[in-house]
Amino acid sequence: MLELNKENFDAEVINYTEKPVFVDFWGEKCQKCLELMPDVHKLEEKYGDKIKFASLNTSQNRRLAIAQKVLGLPTMIVYVNGEKAEVLTPDKISSAADIEEMLKRFYK
Amino acid sequence: MANIHDIIIIGGGPAGLSSGLYGSRAKLDVLIIEKGNFGGQMSTTAEVENYPGSIENATGPSLTERMRQQAEEFGTKFVKDEVVGVDFTGDIKVVKGKNEEYQGRTVIIATGAEPRLAGFKNEVELRARGVSYCATCDADFFEGLDVAVIGGGDSALTEAIYLTKFAESVTIIHRRDELRAAKSLQEKAFNNPKIKFIWNSVPVEARGEEIVEGLIIKNVKTGETSEIPVNGIFVFVGLDPITEVFRGHIEMDERGYIITDTEMRTNVEGVFAAGDVRQKTLRQVITAAADGAIAVIAAEEYINEKFK
């Protein structure tokens, strides 16, 4: 999965228009994020042909996360043409199934 | 025909994992169904200082992993699935997951509880944009910033102390003028130079367009409101049980906690409840673990009588 940072975020997410971009905002101390990660990798295998998968380590890229208005983990965002199309906040994610449901809406 | 388990445990927190350990040690066929992350609330707790023996490496995730491994070593099986329905009417209990249907001679409900909302304006709208219920998850964002903690119990103080490692200041807002938390925690908090207290006050509104920029609080004695400039609001005001899926199937109190006897038996034969999900006074890792063990002994006795 593509690792985002402040150098590549604009090119890979904001200015990217080919397909929707799914970004997994996670942190090194976020247990729920770490548990979800293998499932997110599986989702990439399933949906990766029509949705670009990326992750952002917020522990290393705090300012970038805050600039995206992300201050809680885990947060999952789908960007379409550089705009936030859907945001899943932690309360909306009880299992990977919730992430999959969001992805299905962009898998066209 | 599907495999019929001796015990199906719903929930992989300390109650469920202890049930798994005791059940598999008794050579029963035990399955734990967990929808998200093992450990439940324990897995997002920075330090578990009040569980006996948990001194070195006493973080929630580490204790979770040790409990899980121990249960697994004795033969507990685990599956990741979300329970969406149950049928407790027959001798064989049916638990319907999103992925699969499970059958068991007994069921132990150990789904636990989740943080309760404090009920201030914009609490939901600004969730994950400054409003948080998990300090270990989100503390990183608030390095060098000012945060508020809502609550006065053990969780509120433990997490406030943890937050001081990151935040510039931590202001604890408490509705009364004294704390419920353990005295040792109070002492630690009072002696921490980064922690301030605002007494007799409740949160009214989180301010901020896209992220939290302040918190409006109200003094319950004087009715006066004021705003404190914070970027983070951490809420620890209690718990709500996770029992929606069992509504109508077993007896609960008006808040949704499952009612059991001292052996963890619910009003339905063969169905037990353990841990925070149960109506009781003290909700801690240690009481959850104890419930889990007791539930298994009661379940085993029931199986021996019913299915011999």
Side-chain angles (χ1 to χ4, degrees), chain B residues 22-302:
Chain B
Y22 273 71
S24 49
R25 279 176 62 84
K27 298 286 173 213
L28 297 168
D29 175 320
V30 184
L31 177 74
I32 297 183
I33 305 174
E34 168 60 51
K35 71 174 162 132
N37 45 326
F38 287 100
Q41 298 167 78
M42 176 171 69
S43 74
T44 60
T45 305
E47 294 278 327
V48 184
E49 282 182 334
N50 56 2
Y51 191 74
S54 175
I55 297 173
E56 272 170 53
N57 197 5
T59 68
S62 141
L63 192 54
T64 298
E65 187 45 30
R66 281 181 280 161
M67 283 189 186
R68 202 195 60 75
Q69 267 179 13
Q70 197 176 359
E72 192 170 40
E73 231 159 76
F74 285 101
T76 301
K77 284 172 279 185
F78 298 93
V79 65
K80 266 204 178 179
D81 202 349
E82 185 171 353
V83 172
V84 291
V86 290
D87 182 355
F88 291 157
T89 53
D91 283 349
I92 299 297
K93 313 297 176 204
V94 180
V95 175
K96 294 164 194 149
K98 261 188 185 165
N99 304 332
E100 242 185 274
E101 194 169 286
Y102 309 90
Q103 298 189 16
R105 294 182 177 88
T106 62
V107 171
I108 297 175
I109 299 171
T111 44
E114 58 192 353
R116 185 182 305 157
L117 303 192
F120 53 86
K121 201 175 159 208
N122 292 333
E123 182 175 7
V124 175
E125 290 78 1
L126 289 171
R127 188 161 187 165
R129 294 184 178 88
V131 177
S132 175
Y133 303 81
C134 177
T136 53
C137 302
D138 301 335
D140 267 350
F141 290 113
F142 301 96
E143 215 175 311
L145 300 176
D146 301 304
V147 303
V149 165
I150 317 294
D154 281 358
S155 301
L157 261 61
T158 307
E159 304 305 316
I161 292 163
Y162 175 74
L163 283 164
T164 59
K165 295 182 193 166
F166 304 85
E168 178 69 22
S169 77
V170 177
T171 305
I172 298 178
I173 319 276
H174 187 46
R175 60 185 315 134
R176 279 179 278 277
D177 60 3
E178 55 180 3
L179 300 164
R180 284 191 311 278
K183 288 281 182 288
S184 65
L185 280 171
Q186 295 196 25
E187 213 166 275
K188 263 195 187 175
F190 289 136
N191 289 331
N192 190 312
K194 281 191 172 181
I195 296 181
K196 294 181 289 203
F197 287 87
I198 298 182
W199 304 103
N200 298 313
S201 296
V202 293
V204 180
E205 179 182 348
R207 261 205 351 91
E209 279 300 308
E210 286 187 288
I211 56 174
V212 169
E213 281 155 20
L215 175 66
I216 299 171
I217 56 171
K218 181 175 146 190
N219 186 306
V220 293
K221 290 257 161 86
T222 64
E224 236 172 276
T225 60
S226 56
E227 181 173 338
I228 52 170
V230 290
N231 291 110
I233 304 167
F234 287 82
V235 180
F236 305 103
V237 293
L239 302 168
D240 282 322
I242 305 169
T243 49
E244 201 45 50
V245 74
F246 309 111
R247 207 166 277 279
H249 298 278
I250 43 167
E251 200 186 339
M252 302 174 190
D253 68 13
E254 69 284 355
R255 283 173 55 196
Y257 287 106
I258 295 171
I259 297 168
T260 71
D261 65 8
T262 54
E263 308 307 310
M264 311 300 142
R265 290 183 284 239
T266 68
N267 67 317
V268 179
E269 230 190 26
V271 179
F272 306 81
D276 282 2
V277 75
R278 208 164 67 76
Q279 185 190 59
K280 59 176 181 175
T281 49
L282 185 64
R283 294 193 172 82
Q284 301 268 303
V285 175
I286 189 167
T287 60
D291 284 3
I294 295 166
V296 165
I297 303 309
E300 190 182 10
E301 190 185 281
Y302 167 83

Side-chain angles (χ1 to χ4, degrees), chain A residues 1-101:
Chain A
M1 205 150 75
L2 176 66
E3 265 298 322
L4 296 170
N5 54 46
K6 66 176 192 299
E7 275 76 42
N8 67 5
F9 191 84
D10 279 1
E12 300 286 359
V13 180
I14 302 299
N15 301 323
Y16 183 88
T17 53
E18 228 169 277
K19 354 182 226 196
V21 186
F22 164 83
V23 182
D24 175 350
F25 289 81
W26 65 284
E28 290 159 14
K29 293 189 202 77
C30 167
Q31 203 55 30
K32 198 171 162 187
C33 305
L34 299 176
E35 299 259 1
L36 283 168
M37 209 160 277
D39 295 325
V40 171
H41 285 280
K42 277 187 214 146
L43 290 172
E44 183 178 16
E45 284 167 28
K46 207 164 159 188
Y47 299 99
D49 57 331
K50 291 185 185 169
I51 297 170
K52 178 154 115 179
F53 277 66
S55 63
L56 191 139
N57 179 346
T58 60
S59 310
Q60 308 289 341
N61 298 281
R62 176 171 158 251
R63 278 167 200 284
L64 183 54
I66 295 174
Q68 290 301 308
K69 315 297 176 202
V70 173
L71 285 97
L73 297 178
T75 291
M76 311 281 165
I77 301 181
V78 173
Y79 294 82
V80 174
N81 296 324
E83 303 269 335
K84 281 182 198 168
E86 192 168 339
V87 180
L88 279 188
T89 46
D91 50 311
K92 305 268 162 37
I93 306 170
S94 68
S95 71
D98 300 317
I99 302 168
E100 183 163 11
E101 268 164 42

